[in-house]
């Protein structure tokens, strides 16, 4: 039932599209005492609080639910991630890249065809992650641009639970599984990184280069100022 609600609402708050939301009974639950998917919508913390206080009317929530923000735009509203520290660790299917920003300000963790698909950059006090996941058809599934996370709502299911983002193309078909650790880095346990005619697949135990038929696991690159993993 929750998936049905997420799909109907475009995987975000129906008012503003934020990927961080709660399931909310549009009509007070104490009056209905039932869980019907059609009566439940997605609201972010702000819009949930506004509704609870009466600053956002039920009628406006119902209207937003009928025409959710993300369904109108095709993408989620951007959500800003927060990273900090003097090092960053990127884990990709049992392979790890550790970077020290005292050595250089840019950490290219995964590079495909010369393009950094996973990159951390230190600008002043800010630690910024950029990451792209494109599907086999070349369509953008997820984009994080300098910490600003945005996903296409074309995927079958998208869920941000705790610090983990999971994007599915169908039942048992995970397109991306990413865990964000703001003080440490990012862990990708599943993902498809397509770039040109290259496709790198990340599975929990390995990283697989489909073009060259190369499988890589348990590799560690530490303190490398250039590219960590390049294909
Ligand atoms: Zn909202």
């Amino acid at each position: 039932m929750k998936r049905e609600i997420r799909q109907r609402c475009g995987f975000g708050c129906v008012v503003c599209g934020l990927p961080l939301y709660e399931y909310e009974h549009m009509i007070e639950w104490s009056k209905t005492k039932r869980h019907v998917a059609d009566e439940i919508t997605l609201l972010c913390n702000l819009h949930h609080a506004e509704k609870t206080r009466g600053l956002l009317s039920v009628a406006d929530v119902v209207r937003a639910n009928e025409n959710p923000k993300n369904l109108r735009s095709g993408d989620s509203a951007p959500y800003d991630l927060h990273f900090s520290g003097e090092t960053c660790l990127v884990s990709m299917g049992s392979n790890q890249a550790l970077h020290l920003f005292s050595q250089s300000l840019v950490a290219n963790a995964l590079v495909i065809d010369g393009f950094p698909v996973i990159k951390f950059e230190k600008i002043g006090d800010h630690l910024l992650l950029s990451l792209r996941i494109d599907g086999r058809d070349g369509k953008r599934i997820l984009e994080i641009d300098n910490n600003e996370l945005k996903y296409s709502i074309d995927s079958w299911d998208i869920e941000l639970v705790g610090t983990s983002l999971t994007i599915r193309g169908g039942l048992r078909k995970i397109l991306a599984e990413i865990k964000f650790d703001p003080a440490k880095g990012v862990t990708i346990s599943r993902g498809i990184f397509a770039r040109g005619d290259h496709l790198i697949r990340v599975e929990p135990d390995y990283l697989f280069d489909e073009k060259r038929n190369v499988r890589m696991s348990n590799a560690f690159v530490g303190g490398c100022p250039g590219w960590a993993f390049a294909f």
Side-chain angles (χ1 to χ4, degrees), residues 13 15-18 44 47:
C13 170
V15 179
C16 68
L18 200 72
C44 70
H47 290 116

Side-chain angles (χ1 to χ4, degrees), residues 12-18 20-21 42-48 50 56:
C13 170
V14 288
V15 179
C16 68
L18 200 72
L20 233 59
Y21 51 74
L42 303 182
L43 288 180
C44 70
N45 271 344
L46 172 68
H47 290 116
H48 179 252
E50 285 189 338
L56 177 67

Side-chain angles (χ1 to χ4, degrees), residues 1 4 12 16 22-23 36 44 49 59 76-77 104-105 117 120 126 144-145 147 149 173-174 203 206:
M1 190 169 96
E4 192 185 316
C16 68
E22 291 167 32
Y23 297 84
V36 179
C44 70
S76 71
S104 76
L105 297 175
V117 290
F120 270 102
H126 300 284
I144 301 170
D145 182 21
N147 280 356
L149 182 151
K173 193 182 163 200
I174 296 180
E203 298 288 343
Y206 60 89

Side-chain angles (χ1 to χ4, degrees), residues 110-127:
L110 180 63
V111 176
I112 304 173
D113 269 348
F115 182 85
V117 290
I118 306 176
K119 175 179 92 170
F120 270 102
E121 194 169 1
K122 185 115 180 152
I123 297 177
D125 287 337
H126 300 284
L127 185 52

